[in-house]
Short mmCIF file of all heavy atoms in Angstrom, two decimals:
data_model
loop_
_atom_site.label_atom_id
_atom_site.label_comp_id
_atom_site.label_asym_id
_atom_site.label_seq_id
_atom_site.Cartn_x
_atom_site.Cartn_y
_atom_site.Cartn_z
N VAL A 997 119.90 95.09 99.03
CA VAL A 997 119.06 94.33 99.65
C VAL A 997 119.40 92.69 99.75
O VAL A 997 119.26 92.06 100.73
CB VAL A 997 117.57 94.66 99.43
CG1 VAL A 997 117.05 93.96 98.17
CG2 VAL A 997 116.65 94.26 100.60
N ARG A 998 119.85 92.26 98.56
CA ARG A 998 120.21 90.81 98.43
C ARG A 998 121.47 90.61 99.22
O ARG A 998 121.75 89.44 99.62
CB ARG A 998 120.49 90.53 96.96
CG ARG A 998 119.21 90.18 96.16
CD ARG A 998 118.51 88.90 96.72
NE ARG A 998 119.24 87.70 96.40
CZ ARG A 998 119.68 86.85 97.27
NH1 ARG A 998 119.47 86.94 98.56
NH2 ARG A 998 120.33 85.88 96.89
N GLU A 999 122.31 91.49 99.46
CA GLU A 999 123.49 91.39 100.31
C GLU A 999 123.13 91.12 101.77
O GLU A 999 123.90 90.46 102.49
CB GLU A 999 124.43 92.58 100.32
CG GLU A 999 125.12 92.81 98.97
CD GLU A 999 125.90 94.15 99.01
OE1 GLU A 999 126.03 94.80 99.90
OE2 GLU A 999 126.42 94.44 97.78
N GLN A 1000 121.97 91.62 102.16
CA GLN A 1000 121.55 91.59 103.52
C GLN A 1000 120.45 90.71 103.83
O GLN A 1000 120.35 90.22 105.00
CB GLN A 1000 120.96 92.88 103.92
CG GLN A 1000 122.04 94.10 103.90
CD GLN A 1000 123.04 93.82 104.88
OE1 GLN A 1000 123.02 93.35 105.94
NE2 GLN A 1000 124.39 94.08 104.42
N PHE A 1001 119.85 90.05 102.73
CA PHE A 1001 118.67 89.11 103.05
C PHE A 1001 118.78 87.93 102.17
O PHE A 1001 119.10 87.97 100.96
CB PHE A 1001 117.34 89.81 102.80
CG PHE A 1001 116.94 90.82 103.66
CD1 PHE A 1001 117.31 92.23 103.54
CD2 PHE A 1001 116.25 90.57 104.90
CE1 PHE A 1001 117.04 93.18 104.39
CE2 PHE A 1001 115.93 91.70 105.83
CZ PHE A 1001 116.34 92.94 105.59
N ALA A 1002 118.46 86.73 102.63
CA ALA A 1002 118.35 85.60 101.81
C ALA A 1002 117.15 85.66 100.95
O ALA A 1002 116.22 86.57 101.18
CB ALA A 1002 118.24 84.21 102.79
N GLU A 1003 117.07 84.85 100.00
CA GLU A 1003 115.91 84.98 98.94
C GLU A 1003 114.57 84.84 99.61
O GLU A 1003 113.74 85.58 99.28
CB GLU A 1003 116.09 83.90 97.80
CG GLU A 1003 117.22 84.17 96.88
CD GLU A 1003 117.33 83.11 95.72
OE1 GLU A 1003 116.61 82.08 95.86
OE2 GLU A 1003 118.24 83.31 94.88
N GLN A 1004 114.41 83.95 100.49
CA GLN A 1004 113.16 83.75 101.25
C GLN A 1004 112.84 84.99 102.16
O GLN A 1004 111.61 85.52 102.21
CB GLN A 1004 113.16 82.52 102.01
CG GLN A 1004 111.68 82.03 102.37
CD GLN A 1004 111.79 80.65 103.01
OE1 GLN A 1004 112.52 80.42 103.93
NE2 GLN A 1004 111.03 79.73 102.37
N GLU A 1005 113.88 85.48 102.74
CA GLU A 1005 113.61 86.67 103.58
C GLU A 1005 113.19 87.87 102.70
O GLU A 1005 112.42 88.70 103.13
CB GLU A 1005 114.91 87.04 104.37
CG GLU A 1005 115.30 86.05 105.37
CD GLU A 1005 116.64 86.39 106.00
OE1 GLU A 1005 117.56 86.71 105.10
OE2 GLU A 1005 116.83 86.08 107.22
N LEU A 1006 113.88 87.99 101.65
CA LEU A 1006 113.61 89.18 100.64
C LEU A 1006 112.14 88.99 100.08
O LEU A 1006 111.47 90.03 99.99
CB LEU A 1006 114.51 89.27 99.56
CG LEU A 1006 114.37 90.41 98.51
CD1 LEU A 1006 114.29 91.78 99.19
CD2 LEU A 1006 115.50 90.42 97.54
N ALA A 1007 111.78 87.74 99.80
CA ALA A 1007 110.42 87.56 99.35
C ALA A 1007 109.33 88.01 100.53
O ALA A 1007 108.39 88.66 100.28
CB ALA A 1007 110.18 86.22 98.99
N ALA A 1008 109.76 87.55 101.86
CA ALA A 1008 108.77 87.92 102.76
C ALA A 1008 108.80 89.45 103.11
O ALA A 1008 107.70 89.98 103.32
CB ALA A 1008 109.39 87.23 104.13
N LEU A 1009 109.97 90.12 102.88
CA LEU A 1009 110.01 91.49 103.18
C LEU A 1009 109.16 92.24 101.98
O LEU A 1009 108.47 93.18 102.30
CB LEU A 1009 111.46 91.96 103.05
CG LEU A 1009 111.70 93.55 103.13
CD1 LEU A 1009 111.24 94.18 104.44
CD2 LEU A 1009 113.11 93.80 102.87
N THR A 1010 109.16 91.73 100.85
CA THR A 1010 108.47 92.32 99.80
C THR A 1010 106.97 92.23 100.05
O THR A 1010 106.26 93.06 99.74
CB THR A 1010 108.82 91.60 98.46
OG1 THR A 1010 110.31 91.78 98.17
CG2 THR A 1010 108.07 92.25 97.19
N PHE A 1011 106.57 90.93 100.33
CA PHE A 1011 105.12 90.75 100.82
C PHE A 1011 104.74 91.72 101.93
O PHE A 1011 103.55 92.25 101.94
CB PHE A 1011 104.72 89.27 101.24
CG PHE A 1011 104.62 88.32 100.03
CD1 PHE A 1011 105.65 87.42 99.67
CD2 PHE A 1011 103.42 88.45 99.24
CE1 PHE A 1011 105.42 86.73 98.58
CE2 PHE A 1011 103.27 87.61 98.15
CZ PHE A 1011 104.12 86.64 97.78
N HIS A 1012 105.53 91.87 102.86
CA HIS A 1012 105.30 92.79 103.98
C HIS A 1012 105.07 94.27 103.51
O HIS A 1012 104.19 94.84 103.83
CB HIS A 1012 106.47 92.74 104.96
CG HIS A 1012 106.14 93.43 106.21
ND1 HIS A 1012 105.46 92.83 107.32
CD2 HIS A 1012 106.29 94.67 106.68
CE1 HIS A 1012 105.22 93.65 108.23
NE2 HIS A 1012 105.72 94.80 107.91
N ILE A 1013 105.98 94.69 102.59
CA ILE A 1013 105.78 95.94 101.89
C ILE A 1013 104.68 96.11 101.20
O ILE A 1013 103.79 97.06 101.23
CB ILE A 1013 106.95 96.36 101.08
CG1 ILE A 1013 108.28 96.35 102.02
CG2 ILE A 1013 106.90 97.68 100.34
CD1 ILE A 1013 109.77 96.43 101.32
N MET A 1014 104.21 95.10 100.43
CA MET A 1014 102.89 95.05 99.69
C MET A 1014 101.71 95.25 100.72
O MET A 1014 100.85 95.92 100.35
CB MET A 1014 102.85 93.68 99.01
CG MET A 1014 103.74 93.57 97.73
SD MET A 1014 103.85 91.83 97.18
CE MET A 1014 102.13 91.30 97.07
N SER A 1015 101.73 94.52 101.80
CA SER A 1015 100.68 94.56 102.79
C SER A 1015 100.50 95.91 103.31
O SER A 1015 99.46 96.50 103.35
CB SER A 1015 101.04 93.54 103.83
OG SER A 1015 100.10 93.72 104.92
N ILE A 1016 101.52 96.65 103.79
CA ILE A 1016 101.51 97.86 104.42
C ILE A 1016 101.04 98.95 103.38
O ILE A 1016 100.24 99.77 103.73
CB ILE A 1016 102.73 98.35 105.13
CG1 ILE A 1016 102.41 99.56 105.86
CG2 ILE A 1016 103.85 98.58 104.24
CD1 ILE A 1016 101.37 99.57 106.96
N ASN A 1017 101.53 98.79 102.10
CA ASN A 1017 101.10 99.72 101.13
C ASN A 1017 99.56 99.52 100.86
O ASN A 1017 98.81 100.57 100.66
CB ASN A 1017 101.92 99.53 99.86
CG ASN A 1017 103.12 100.38 99.94
OD1 ASN A 1017 103.02 101.56 99.84
ND2 ASN A 1017 104.31 99.67 100.31
N ALA A 1018 98.97 98.38 100.90
CA ALA A 1018 97.56 98.12 100.68
C ALA A 1018 96.90 98.91 101.71
O ALA A 1018 95.83 99.57 101.56
CB ALA A 1018 97.21 96.73 100.60
N TRP A 1019 97.23 98.65 103.04
CA TRP A 1019 96.51 99.31 104.23
C TRP A 1019 96.69 100.76 104.05
O TRP A 1019 95.64 101.50 104.28
CB TRP A 1019 97.09 98.85 105.45
CG TRP A 1019 96.71 97.47 105.90
CD1 TRP A 1019 97.53 96.37 105.86
CD2 TRP A 1019 95.47 96.98 106.24
NE1 TRP A 1019 96.82 95.24 106.21
CE2 TRP A 1019 95.42 95.60 106.41
CE3 TRP A 1019 94.13 97.57 106.23
CZ2 TRP A 1019 94.34 94.75 106.76
CZ3 TRP A 1019 93.00 96.83 106.58
CH2 TRP A 1019 93.22 95.38 106.89
N ASN A 1020 97.85 101.22 103.71
CA ASN A 1020 97.98 102.78 103.58
C ASN A 1020 97.07 103.28 102.51
O ASN A 1020 96.40 104.38 102.81
CB ASN A 1020 99.48 103.12 103.21
CG ASN A 1020 100.59 102.91 104.22
OD1 ASN A 1020 101.71 102.97 103.84
ND2 ASN A 1020 100.25 102.80 105.42
N ARG A 1021 96.97 102.70 101.48
CA ARG A 1021 96.15 103.23 100.40
C ARG A 1021 94.68 103.35 100.77
O ARG A 1021 93.99 104.29 100.56
CB ARG A 1021 96.33 102.56 99.05
CG ARG A 1021 97.61 102.97 98.44
CD ARG A 1021 98.27 101.89 97.64
NE ARG A 1021 99.45 102.35 96.79
CZ ARG A 1021 100.53 102.69 97.43
NH1 ARG A 1021 100.71 102.62 98.69
NH2 ARG A 1021 101.53 103.13 96.62
N ALA A 1022 94.17 102.28 101.44
CA ALA A 1022 92.76 102.36 101.89
C ALA A 1022 92.60 103.28 102.92
O ALA A 1022 91.56 104.11 102.90
CB ALA A 1022 92.38 100.88 102.52
N ASN A 1023 93.49 103.47 103.94
CA ASN A 1023 93.19 104.41 105.07
C ASN A 1023 93.52 105.78 104.52
O ASN A 1023 92.79 106.75 105.04
CB ASN A 1023 94.15 104.04 106.15
CG ASN A 1023 93.68 102.81 106.97
OD1 ASN A 1023 92.61 102.76 107.43
ND2 ASN A 1023 94.48 101.76 107.02
N VAL A 1024 94.30 106.12 103.57
CA VAL A 1024 94.45 107.49 103.09
C VAL A 1024 93.19 107.78 102.27
O VAL A 1024 92.66 108.91 102.33
CB VAL A 1024 95.73 107.64 102.28
CG1 VAL A 1024 95.80 108.80 101.31
CG2 VAL A 1024 96.95 107.49 103.08
N ALA A 1025 92.88 106.83 101.42
CA ALA A 1025 91.61 107.12 100.56
C ALA A 1025 90.40 107.43 101.42
O ALA A 1025 89.57 108.39 100.99
CB ALA A 1025 91.28 105.90 99.71
N PHE A 1026 90.10 106.75 102.50
CA PHE A 1026 88.91 106.95 103.31
C PHE A 1026 89.11 107.69 104.54
O PHE A 1026 88.24 107.91 105.41
CB PHE A 1026 88.30 105.60 103.54
CG PHE A 1026 87.88 104.94 102.31
CD1 PHE A 1026 88.51 103.71 101.92
CD2 PHE A 1026 87.00 105.54 101.51
CE1 PHE A 1026 88.16 103.11 100.62
CE2 PHE A 1026 86.58 104.86 100.29
CZ PHE A 1026 87.14 103.70 99.85
#
Side-chain angles (χ1 to χ4, degrees):
V997 78
R998 276 297 288 126
E999 289 172 7
Q1000 298 297 323
F1001 292 91
E1003 289 180 355
Q1004 200 169 56
E1005 293 171 324
L1006 180 55
L1009 177 61
T1010 302
F1011 277 107
H1012 191 87
I1013 295 165
M1014 290 165 48
S1015 173
I1016 188 57
N1017 275 286
W1019 288 112
N1020 286 167
R1021 278 149 178 74
N1023 286 301
V1024 168
F1026 298 115

